Amino acid sequence: MLPSSAENRAKNAIQWHISDGIIAYEDAIRVMEARAGRIITGEEPEAIWLLEHPPLYTAGTSANAADLTDPGRFPVHATKRGGQYTYHGPGQRVVYVMLDVGKRGHDVRRFVQQLEEWVIATLAAFNITGLIREGRVGVWVARPDKPLTATGQTAEDKIAAIGIRLRKWVSFHGISINVDPDLEHFSGIVPCGITEHGVTSLIDLGLPVTMEDVDVALRQSFDSVFEI
């Protein structure tokens, strides 16, 4: 079951849970899928789960094997969420989103847009402008401090990944925001199949932000995006 602590609270019938320490990926998937099942049956309310994983790579349903450039580096987990290869590890805030998309309009595309908007609103709390780019999943930031791209454009780095799955209109998996992970760990994959852009984090951008700061920003921006 999801962790129970003083951090848990119900807000608009959604329970928030924060896990201390590092949570094994297999354990998290098991707990998350079980909770999604109980949301489907009406046994428990919707939930948001904030946690960190040990270093690992995950392969989404669109993953290209060639994008796993260092397969022996960290454990690789096949997952049924959408998307390609991603990295999870300490210093990255993983947000598992177990919400009833059915009562929010049965619109998967809009739901993904809301997840993007949520990340962008969270970044805005730290005066960071998050960007959405056609053909590139996730949230990006402009890097005018870096050399221009080969096409003469401003460089952009990915700061957050998004990947979800639905079961009977209840979502699971979710988003991950790079707070202060080891960015070198991303070199074992081609993140989300994108070769011409890099990855960054809040700390890499020069912000003295803690995981707790990010959690507060996530909570404060949630209601403005996910109104029912």
Side-chain angles (χ1 to χ4, degrees):
M1 59 187 302
L2 288 171
S4 177
S5 73
E7 297 290 345
N8 293 0
R9 67 189 176 101
K11 187 173 185 179
N12 294 339
I14 297 172
Q15 290 184 344
W16 288 72
H17 304 265
I18 299 178
S19 286
D20 296 325
I22 304 299
I23 306 300
Y25 186 76
E26 303 94 326
D27 293 342
I29 296 301
R30 174 180 50 79
V31 170
M32 178 173 54
E33 291 191 349
R35 179 57 176 261
R38 290 192 293 273
I39 294 170
I40 290 169
T41 61
E43 298 172 74
E44 292 196 69
E46 299 170 297
I48 307 291
W49 187 14
L50 312 180
L51 67 153
E52 293 175 83
H53 286 309
L56 59 94
Y57 299 129
T58 66
T61 54
S62 302
N64 182 345
D67 289 340
L68 182 62
T69 59
D70 191 358
R73 186 170 191 183
F74 296 127
V76 180
H77 297 270
T79 176
K80 295 179 181 179
R81 61 154 177 81
Q84 302 184 46
Y85 279 104
T86 60
Y87 166 77
H88 293 313
Q92 182 187 72
R93 176 50 88 210
V94 174
V95 185
Y96 286 138
V97 180
M98 292 155 276
L99 296 178
D100 186 342
V101 181
K103 72 180 183 182
R104 291 177 170 80
H106 292 89
D107 189 336
V108 178
R109 178 171 294 185
R110 176 56 185 151
F111 181 65
V112 172
Q113 290 174 341
Q114 288 176 310
L115 293 175
E116 294 169 341
E117 292 168 8
W118 188 23
V119 173
I120 289 170
T122 299
L123 295 175
F126 308 106
N127 295 315
I128 295 296
T129 300
L131 305 170
I132 301 302
R133 292 295 185 240
E134 185 70 26
R136 283 193 257 144
V137 179
V139 179
W140 303 76
V141 294
R143 298 301 305 268
D145 55 315
K146 288 189 171 184
L148 297 177
T149 67
T151 58
Q153 303 299 311
T154 299
E156 294 178 350
D157 286 344
K158 189 171 190 175
I159 195 167
I162 297 174
I164 64 165
R165 185 184 178 198
L166 297 183
R167 180 180 297 157
K168 295 185 178 180
W169 291 104
V170 170
S171 69
F172 49 109
H173 296 282
I175 65 179
S176 58
I177 300 174
N178 296 334
V179 181
D180 189 22
D182 186 336
L183 295 179
E184 200 278 329
H185 287 178
F186 285 87
S187 65
I189 58 172
V190 178
C192 297
I194 305 296
T195 58
E196 64 269 29
H197 297 280
V199 292
T200 190
S201 67
L202 290 168
I203 296 298
D204 183 54
L205 294 172
L207 297 169
V209 175
T210 67
M211 198 69 75
E212 291 74 18
D213 294 331
V214 173
D215 293 347
V216 170
L218 283 164
R219 288 181 172 189
Q220 290 179 339
S221 58
F222 182 86
D223 286 349
S224 64
V225 175
F226 288 96
E227 293 180 353
I228 299 177

